[in-house]
Amino acid sequence: ALAPRCGWVLPGLEQRLTVPAMVSPATARPYAAAAKTAKKDAKRGRQEKGKEKPPPRRRPLLSKPVDDVYLTWLYRRPSYEPEQAVGMLKRFQELDFTYPKQFVYINVFLDMALQKKRKVDPFSSSVTLPHRFTDEVNKVLVFTENGQEAETAREHGAAVVGGVELIKWILEDEIQADFYVAVPAIMPKLIPLRNKLKRKYPSTRRNSLGSDIPKMLQFFRECHEYAVENENIIKTRIARLDMPTEHILANLKTIIHDICTFKPPNFDPIVRRLVIRSATSEGLLLNLDGILPQVEKVEQKEEEHEVDEDQQKPVQESVST
């Protein structure tokens, strides 16, 4: 029955009027399938448009700014000769009134690639710089069970000297050193320390295993250590800013030449980019000409010399005949 015209509703009729109409699954299924198909088509269309859209063209970098104020990301980063860069660092210090004896650092970006997806493993090395820039002395531990050798090690500045009794203290981190050297006789007893010391484990390749204790101590107490970080970057200090420019460059070339020994010379140079800076200055990109060792050019000259000899041989043979 319908409600009277006065506007009120009979009991129970209001509930029936407010209940939404139920749609059967059979009736709703075609609409859901159509909506799903439409979404897939729209997604496929967007993907095809994305594929057809060409990649954005990047504006080529300009070579040299004309004005004093410019946007750096629109221009190629300038590179400087080593002598010029060191002179600029010294000038920055004077203009900024910063500490004159601050350290000079280099960031070396490496090309670790070899053939067939192989690459140079991250490495660390120690080198003696021609000009020391700090009074700090490395702490060296000497492994030996010979009393005379132990006395010699102490006389030449060893921080710790001992035999197998040191193994327990090293494993428990009670004794730590910057470098560890040993004589050949004690090496079979130091095997438990191989995993603990890792790269610092005494070895002939690192010149930390031998019988000449004074020579090993002199090297490791004064050497400069560097290591590869983040798989292809070396960050290390090389000098102090108040040192003569030629001394700073000599230390720089010594470290770079040592780095280059970790990749065969028949591959591309391992040093890809080189940046120098002081503790308070910006980084300056260096021109690598004159810094990298001239191995490839020497090989080319030798090959040219061999070719000249091969060309001269037939002439000499014809003359002799």
Side-chain angles (χ1 to χ4, degrees):
L2 297 176
R5 294 182 181 180
C6 60
W8 55 271
V9 182
L10 293 176
L13 181 59
E14 183 179 2
Q15 295 180 359
R16 290 196 298 272
L17 293 175
T18 56
V19 174
M22 299 299 294
V23 181
S24 62
T27 307
R29 191 175 297 120
Y31 298 99
K36 190 174 183 181
T37 304
K39 288 182 179 180
K40 287 184 178 180
D41 294 340
K43 185 177 180 181
R44 189 181 299 109
R46 289 194 299 268
Q47 292 177 351
E48 291 178 355
K49 289 182 180 179
K51 292 181 181 179
E52 294 176 357
K53 185 178 180 181
R57 297 182 60 183
R58 186 171 181 177
R59 176 186 294 183
L61 297 177
L62 303 177
S63 58
K64 188 177 181 180
V66 180
D67 300 325
D68 295 336
V69 180
Y70 58 93
L71 300 176
T72 56
W73 59 82
L74 297 180
Y75 295 87
R76 298 189 186 95
R77 186 174 183 179
S79 61
Y80 304 93
E81 296 299 326
E83 296 84 357
Q84 181 186 6
V86 174
M88 292 174 64
L89 295 182
K90 291 178 177 289
R91 183 60 177 163
F92 293 159
Q93 182 273 321
E94 294 175 359
L95 295 176
D96 296 337
F97 297 98
T98 54
Y99 185 54
K101 295 185 178 182
Q102 58 187 287
F103 288 116
V104 178
Y105 299 85
I106 57 172
N107 294 352
V108 189
F109 299 86
L110 306 178
D111 178 10
M112 310 284 276
L114 296 174
Q115 289 180 345
K116 297 180 180 180
K117 297 183 179 180
R118 295 176 57 245
K119 63 179 182 179
V120 180
D121 295 329
F123 56 86
S124 63
S125 180
S126 302
V127 62
T128 301
L129 298 179
H131 305 283
R132 285 180 53 82
F133 59 90
T134 178
D135 296 331
E136 299 176 0
V137 178
N138 298 319
K139 184 179 179 181
V140 185
L141 184 148
V142 179
F143 289 107
T144 180
E145 293 182 324
N146 184 287
Q148 185 176 358
E149 292 176 343
E151 185 64 26
T152 302
R154 294 188 186 94
E155 292 176 356
H156 287 81
V160 181
V161 183
V164 293
E165 71 276 2
L166 299 178
I167 295 178
K168 176 183 177 182
W169 303 109
I170 295 174
L171 292 175
E172 296 178 355
D173 293 328
E174 294 292 335
I175 295 178
Q176 295 180 351
D178 298 318
F179 297 97
Y180 301 82
V181 302
V183 295
I186 199 175
M187 284 304 296
K189 301 179 182 179
L190 300 182
I191 295 178
L193 293 176
R194 183 183 294 273
N195 293 332
K196 178 68 175 179
L197 300 182
K198 296 180 180 179
R199 292 179 179 177
K200 294 185 177 182
Y201 188 76
S203 66
T204 54
R205 183 173 62 87
R206 296 180 179 275
N207 299 320
S208 56
L209 174 61
S211 301
D212 194 344
I213 294 178
K215 182 179 179 180
M216 292 189 295
L217 282 172
Q218 181 181 3
F219 173 78
F220 285 107
R221 290 181 76 244
E222 300 179 356
C223 70
H224 178 75
E225 185 181 22
Y226 64 87
V228 176
E229 304 174 7
N230 301 325
E231 296 186 355
N232 65 340
I233 301 177
I234 295 175
K235 299 179 181 180
T236 183
R237 56 187 186 181
I238 62 171
R240 288 189 181 273
L241 194 56
D242 63 331
M243 293 172 57
T245 300
E246 56 270 17
H247 291 184
I248 298 176
L249 296 180
N251 287 355
L252 169 65
K253 292 181 179 180
T254 299
I255 295 177
I256 295 300
H257 286 205
D258 188 71
I259 293 173
C260 291
T261 60
F262 286 88
K263 190 174 183 180
N266 55 330
F267 291 94
D268 293 334
I270 190 172
V271 178
R272 183 166 51 90
R273 282 195 306 143
L274 177 59
V275 176
I276 188 171
R277 65 177 180 85
S278 67
T280 59
S281 74
E282 62 178 296
L284 303 177
L285 183 65
L286 293 184
N287 187 355
L288 295 177
D289 295 338
I291 298 179
L292 299 181
Q294 304 297 324
V295 177
E296 296 180 358
K297 294 182 179 180
V298 173
E299 291 180 353
Q300 291 178 359
K301 289 182 180 180
E302 292 178 353
E303 291 178 358
E304 293 176 357
H305 183 67
E306 291 177 357
V307 171
D308 293 340
E309 289 182 351
D310 293 338
Q311 293 176 352
Q312 292 176 2
K313 283 181 181 179
V315 177
Q316 293 177 356
E317 291 177 356
S318 61
V319 172
S320 62
T321 54

